[in-house]
Amino acid sequence: MSNYNFISYSSVDALEFAFELYDSLLSGPPSIPVWLDKREIKTGQDWDEQIVEAIRTCESLIFLMTSDSVEPKSVCKLEWTRALSYKKAIVPILLQPEVEMPFRLGSRQWIDFTGDFNIGLAKLRKHLRWLSSPEGGLKSLKDRLEDATLDHRRAGGPDQQIRIEKEMILLKNQIDDQQRIIDDPAGAAKRVEESIIRGIQRECHPEKPVDDITRTKFINPPPAIAPTYFQDRHVETNLIGDFLKNDAQRLMTIVGRGGIGKTAMVCRLLKSLEGGRLPDNGEEMSIDGIIYLSETGTRKITVPNLYADLCSLLPDDIAKRLDEVYRDPKTSTESKMQALMEAFPSGQVLLLLDNFENLIDSRTHNLTNIEMNEALKAIINLPPHGVKVIITTRVAPRDMALIHPQQQFRLDLEKGLESPYAENILREMDADATVGLKDAPDELLNEARERTLGNPRALEALFAILSADRDTELQEILSDSELLPENVVEVLVGEAFSRLDPTARKVMEALAIYSRPVSPSAVDYLLQPHVPGVDSARVLNRLVNMKFVRKEAGRYYMHPVDKEYALSRVPEGDASDRDEPVFTQFALLHLGADYFKEARMPKENWKTIDDLSAQLAEFDLRCAGQDYDTAADVLLDIGFDYLFLWGHYRVMTEMHERLHGKLNDPKLKSSSAGNLGITYCFLEDYRKAIEYYKQALVISREIRDRDGEGTCLGNLGSAYSNLGQVEKAIEYYEQALAIAHEIGYRLLESVSLINMGDIFVYQNEWTKAIKLYNQARMIADEIGYIQIQNGSRSGLARAHLHSGDLEAARSIAESAFKYDYPMNNHNVFALLGVIALRQGDSASAKDAFETAVEVSDSLLGHNKQNFDALDAIGLALCGLALCDEDTNYIPDAISSYEAARSITRAPGVVGRVLQLFDELAKADTQGLLSGVREAVGGK
């Protein structure tokens, strides 16, 4: 049940009426949700706890005033005073004419039920609906101001007066704001809309960094700045220092429950290390670089972020080279990390991965992010380097702990802060001495430390409760029986949250929807339909001061414990809420995704994965809201042309895997499966590639998507061709070709013809291959597609070479250069060199081979893992050895072939390389190339 009204009554003289009122309000029309203990209390659970929880989460409290319920010792007084602490609207109901309103509720207008029940019921219904209106909200604020004014007159001392005065100032400001909204609702809505538009524009066009900024060795702001009063953890800090000094250890995992102070402790340490020494005037320690990544911060824990941030510590030329390594799809994560770690042969760079539990499966305790798993394993396994990793997490990654345990260190934070450090936190947070902590007796603060176990987040929550509720004293909180060691943080966070005013609670609930820090405009976007005239920025800044919210670079987020609690207060709803203006998780997730859809950077500015942060955030929210089809659209828009082009193959693969089996639209299912096939093909996992290609093929056939079907068949043919399974490859190519003929898909037709020609060359069926290449060439010329014009001529020249028609082979190879396609020119030059050498034209052959090496080197400058370019260099160097009769070329040729085979040993690829090498070897009359063939084949 949500949005209900709590009925407070005395069972002595109002039980029967409470039942009648409950039934009448609930039955409607319209039905008004209500909560009555006799109907709602669950057996087997603590009675008091259920009542407190019901008051904490209700919309308003209906107080049935009878002779017994207004008595000072009545249970009802405990209920309505608790409701006042929770900033709930109180609706007094007069049942007996002689009963007087309790003094603290004197400003509220009661509803008369002393006469006709139906008349009173109608008034109550109208009043409850009115409470949710802007006018009703204004009246609640005025009631609270009147309460504060009365309390101020009889305050017990200066400290209490100051607390009340601060609340009165806040209430007056809120009343003025609410009055302006009521007086001009259209103007208020326009102001909010304009503020949101400005915020979105800032997201779309972020400020450019100032030129010539000095390179820093501290990358990203820390996920949290440890306040100056956060001290202690001397033993733990020294253990971290020992880890940093131990060259044999690579990874440290700091494990502890939420709120225990893991992040604060590490950030305090690292902040001190920025100054060159350990905390508390500890020993000097030189650090070459510190990188902060946080699952709750703006810079998420991903391999692309980790890799890019480490590269930012390196000279530009090295960083550029490593970026090229990262972008290559054939390079494994381990190889990428090896290249990166080799750039840090010594020194010390720290990588902090905070809130790592978000990447760990709660059931298996294993890492869910495959690429991150591989990256961390590489950091542990690789030869000595200067990078150390510190992980903070609630749950230790079980699979990671098994990798070279001697190179890891685990630190469990099981206890909070000791005395006097916990007490110091309480005193220092109350800097202006307005909530009673700064000057509280030592004995009371010691009790607070004991009850909270010194847990830093629990201590902050104590301060938050006192800041949000002027009527609550520290001793009152500590006497709460709900505070148990295992739930102290959660209970105090819940109490603090419940004492916020309704608007502040809504702001926190909206903020909890987002999985990353956001600007106030993102929160306004969610609340605009629900909180007229909302101004989240002012509320968020107030919440920061009250220790509810954190702020980082103008963006706001919450501690994970607070986020979990705030989100739990929002009804889950269901997927149909996406199109309704209701306050449920599904509806808000949809709205949040829409915000990021509007906040995308212009496409012409997309240069790195950071420029796609809005799409990545939208994708996450769409998935969380089970809107998988829209998530697929987002991914397909940024997939191959951006993520794939920039080398983020694992990112793209894992995002598509999240969608697998959850899509409804058949076309999207086919596209997503096909994309997974292509990414796995580039990663040389042909088994998975074929599996996904076949899934895409089945769907394409089911929906009669002939274009898609032909593409899937061609992809399957290529996968089997690389595996050397030529019969299956031909079968699929022939099917793709048939569809291309049928639907007039000329590009697919020409590609299929070239692919089949390649197969027949591999099978030594030259006549068939020549026929197919010629057909592809004519189509390519007809449609003007340069890639196919170049490729068809290259294949045709090679077929003539193998058939022994060297003259035709040379003529066609030379004609291929009229169609400049940089990705294949190196192969054409190498091929031309082989043909010319076989013709006895050593001079032309040498020119062609030298150009092939030059062009291939250029390609490798962009991508060190281009095995095709490495094979071309190997062939060209062998050709130069024959041209000059110089064996000095041979070692480099072998090295180039070995490098190519280290990238791929796919049988089909290796077979074609060997076939062309054997053609060159026919010109080796002196046996100069003996021993090279083994390297070509990867033996």
Side-chain angles (χ1 to χ4, degrees), residues 63 65-66 69-72 76-77 80-81 92 99-108 110 147 150:
F63 174 39
M65 294 192 301
T66 60
S69 70
V70 297
E71 286 292 318
C76 293
K77 183 178 181 180
W80 60 255
T81 54
V99 173
E100 292 186 3
M101 182 94 72
F103 177 77
R104 287 194 63 190
L105 302 179
S107 63
R108 289 161 179 80
W110 42 262
D147 293 343
L150 292 173

Side-chain angles (χ1 to χ4, degrees), residues 387-424:
V387 177
K388 284 180 175 280
V389 181
I390 298 178
I391 290 174
T392 68
T393 180
R394 297 192 215 177
V395 181
R398 180 178 297 161
D399 49 351
M400 194 61 57
L402 302 177
I403 305 165
H404 295 303
Q406 73 278 6
Q407 295 184 11
Q408 300 187 50
F409 185 80
R410 171 169 169 166
L411 174 60
D412 289 280
L413 289 189
E414 298 176 346
K415 296 182 179 180
L417 302 178
E418 299 291 341
S419 182
Y421 305 105
E423 292 90 330
N424 288 345

Side-chain angles (χ1 to χ4, degrees), residues 16-117:
E16 184 177 342
F17 180 88
F19 276 119
E20 183 179 9
L21 183 63
Y22 174 91
D23 292 336
S24 298
L25 288 173
L26 199 59
S27 61
S31 177
I32 295 178
V34 281
W35 195 96
L36 183 68
D37 56 2
K38 300 294 185 184
R39 295 284 174 85
E40 307 295 343
I41 287 289
K42 297 178 176 61
T43 59
Q45 299 181 21
D46 186 275
W47 184 287
D48 291 337
E49 287 183 10
Q50 291 186 69
I51 290 178
V52 170
E53 179 64 14
I55 298 173
R56 178 185 288 134
T57 55
C58 72
E59 288 294 304
S60 67
L61 182 140
I62 301 172
F63 174 39
L64 307 187
M65 294 192 301
T66 60
S67 298
D68 189 72
S69 70
V70 297
E71 286 292 318
K73 295 184 179 181
S74 170
V75 172
C76 293
K77 183 178 181 180
L78 296 177
E79 293 174 344
W80 60 255
T81 54
R82 174 78 73 157
L84 287 176
S85 295
Y86 293 158
K87 313 295 191 294
K88 305 295 183 180
I90 308 295
V91 183
I93 300 293
L94 183 64
L95 295 187
Q96 299 169 358
E98 69 280 5
V99 173
E100 292 186 3
M101 182 94 72
F103 177 77
R104 287 194 63 190
L105 302 179
S107 63
R108 289 161 179 80
Q109 180 62 48
W110 42 262
I111 296 176
D112 191 358
F113 268 82
T114 60
D116 187 286
F117 177 84

Side-chain angles (χ1 to χ4, degrees), residues 301-574:
I301 302 174
T302 66
V303 171
N305 287 346
L306 180 155
Y307 201 94
D309 290 348
L310 282 170
C311 284
S312 67
L313 294 171
L314 299 168
D316 290 339
D317 57 335
I318 298 177
K320 183 178 180 181
R321 175 178 60 80
L322 288 170
D323 179 63
E324 291 164 356
V325 172
Y326 179 82
R327 290 170 180 263
D328 191 278
K330 300 298 183 182
T331 306
S332 67
T333 302
E334 181 181 3
S335 297
K336 292 175 183 178
M337 295 305 298
Q338 181 176 356
L340 182 60
M341 293 302 104
E342 287 172 353
F344 296 94
S346 59
Q348 185 140 233
V349 173
L350 299 184
L351 179 61
L352 170 60
L353 308 180
D354 189 44
N355 293 113
F356 199 76
E357 64 272 1
N358 289 3
L359 303 180
I360 300 175
D361 187 285
S362 59
R363 182 179 55 85
T364 65
H365 290 188
N366 291 333
L367 272 175
T368 57
N369 187 307
I370 297 173
E371 190 175 24
M372 180 58 67
N373 195 345
E374 293 174 351
L376 291 177
K377 284 181 179 178
I379 290 176
I380 297 172
N381 287 328
L382 287 170
H385 54 76
V387 177
K388 284 180 175 280
V389 181
I390 298 178
I391 290 174
T392 68
T393 180
R394 297 192 215 177
V395 181
R398 180 178 297 161
D399 49 351
M400 194 61 57
L402 302 177
I403 305 165
H404 295 303
Q406 73 278 6
Q407 295 184 11
Q408 300 187 50
F409 185 80
R410 171 169 169 166
L411 174 60
D412 289 280
L413 289 189
E414 298 176 346
K415 296 182 179 180
L417 302 178
E418 299 291 341
S419 182
Y421 305 105
E423 292 90 330
N424 288 345
I425 285 185
L426 293 171
R427 294 188 192 280
E428 293 296 328
M429 283 191 293
D430 187 20
D432 57 2
T434 58
V435 301
L437 292 174
K438 190 175 185 64
D439 300 318
D442 292 341
E443 297 78 11
L444 184 59
L445 295 186
N446 181 62
E447 183 183 354
R449 177 186 58 79
E450 291 177 347
R451 293 301 306 278
T452 61
L453 303 179
N455 186 300
R457 182 59 198 136
L459 296 170
E460 287 184 332
L462 278 178
F463 172 76
I465 292 171
L466 297 173
S467 298
D469 183 11
R470 59 180 170 78
D471 292 321
T472 299
E473 302 293 338
L474 179 58
Q475 186 61 66
E476 178 185 344
I477 302 173
L478 299 179
S479 63
D480 193 333
S481 61
E482 287 188 58
L483 288 180
L484 301 174
E486 64 272 11
N487 69 354
V488 62
V489 177
E490 290 76 10
V491 169
L492 288 176
V493 165
E495 279 295 309
F497 177 88
S498 300
R499 282 170 162 79
L500 291 170
D501 61 83
T503 299
R505 288 198 298 269
K506 277 286 192 287
V507 167
M508 286 193 66
E509 289 167 351
L511 183 60
I513 291 295
Y514 294 107
S515 60
R516 60 191 66 204
V518 294
S519 63
S521 61
V523 178
D524 286 345
Y525 195 91
L526 298 189
L527 294 180
Q528 187 181 20
H530 308 285
V531 184
V534 64
D535 183 1
S536 297
R538 292 171 61 180
V539 179
L540 286 166
N541 287 327
R542 177 160 56 93
L543 291 170
V544 169
N545 293 332
M546 298 169 69
K547 312 301 180 187
F548 282 99
V549 171
R550 276 103 163 107
K551 186 177 182 180
E552 175 190 319
R555 299 174 185 274
Y556 300 84
Y557 67 102
M558 289 187 284
H559 188 283
V561 176
D562 298 66
K563 178 181 176 179
E564 290 171 9
Y565 184 85
L567 196 59
S568 73
R569 311 321 299 176
V570 182
E572 183 178 8
D574 56 55

